[in-house]
Amino acid sequence: MEAMPRELWPARLHHLRRDSPKPEPLARFYGELLGDPVGPLADGSWLVAGRGRRLVVGQGAVASVPYFAFELQDAAHLSAYRLQWSKTEAFSSPLFADGAFAVHDPDGRRVAFGIPKGTDAPNGLPGRLQHFVCATTRLSEMLEFYRRLGMVESDRVLEGNELSAVFLRSDPEHHSFAAFRAPDSRPDHHCYETTGWLDIRDWADRMGRLRIPLWWGPGRHGPGNNLFFMIEDPDGHKVEFSAELELMPKDMAHRTWPHESRTLNLWGSAWMRS
Ligand SMILES: [Fe+2]
């Protein structure tokens, strides 16, 4: 792999795929959770899509996320970015125009890049798909890979001299990807960014009506300084709702946080992955 970071900036998370042995009930769960329509796709997977968010739900291992996909600025950005890779594979998605491609990260997960096609339906409460987070056994390797991919490190968490979490951005939003050190590599959560704290109230009220208990929060993360709560989907994969995520210019240096519960929740108890 080339030593210099590639020119990804600015790019945003556009969609991801959540797999399960029984995809249709999971797609229906997300449709109800988000208030978004659910429809079948040609390859047998399901699309749950609303305002600023799209989730492909397919057949696969329980709680898995086989890929996540970034939206680049335009076709010129996409083709220039692709030229910076020596090896890519075609990425076929009903949500992206021709020319999309993917690479594999050190955990084997595909990271896709493309230009969206179609328009969003204005359904449900505001919550734009904003970041994806995984747990990994090879955190340093993942940090190196995602930096060379063109992401910029925003914050890192250290236990002594050892990395325990990294947060990376692909536009001024604090992170569109993050990774936690853990005993096994797996998806961790994905997040919907809302327009403010009152949206967090409205989403939590929605969870109440749906009898979906809040799993963690409300709280405020140290890295990103965002207000949040999380719930679990039926496979135990976590789903986060967030507000007021910090903005950082491209050239701002990363900060360092200690590996302690207060870093993950300035207000109280935390979910420690290691
Ligand atoms: Fe998050």
Side-chain angles (χ1 to χ4, degrees), residues 240-260:
E240 179 175 34
F241 295 87
S242 162
E244 303 179 5
L245 183 65
E246 181 181 5
L247 299 178
M248 292 173 73
K250 188 180 184 183
D251 58 1
M252 189 170 164
H254 73 78
R255 291 81 50 101
T256 299
W257 298 75
H259 181 79
E260 61 183 24

Side-chain angles (χ1 to χ4, degrees), residues 72-154:
L72 274 61
Q73 290 305 291
D74 50 32
H77 184 198
L78 182 67
S79 59
Y81 183 65
R82 188 169 191 168
L83 286 173
Q84 295 165 48
W85 290 89
S86 54
K87 189 177 169 213
T88 61
E89 63 181 41
F91 179 77
S92 171
S93 164
L95 304 179
F96 275 164
D98 290 348
F101 70 96
V103 297
H104 291 255
D105 78 9
D107 277 345
R109 181 171 293 109
R110 278 186 296 164
V111 188
F113 307 94
I115 305 302
K117 66 178 183 187
T119 52
D120 285 349
N123 303 102
L125 291 169
R128 172 172 51 86
L129 178 67
Q130 196 278 328
H131 66 254
F132 168 70
V133 174
C134 69
T136 181
T137 58
R138 44 180 83 80
L139 187 56
S140 298
E141 233 182 297
M142 291 285 270
L143 173 61
E144 189 65 12
F145 174 86
Y146 281 96
R147 287 181 58 166
R148 287 186 182 174
L149 186 143
M151 301 190 83
V152 180
E153 192 179 356
S154 297

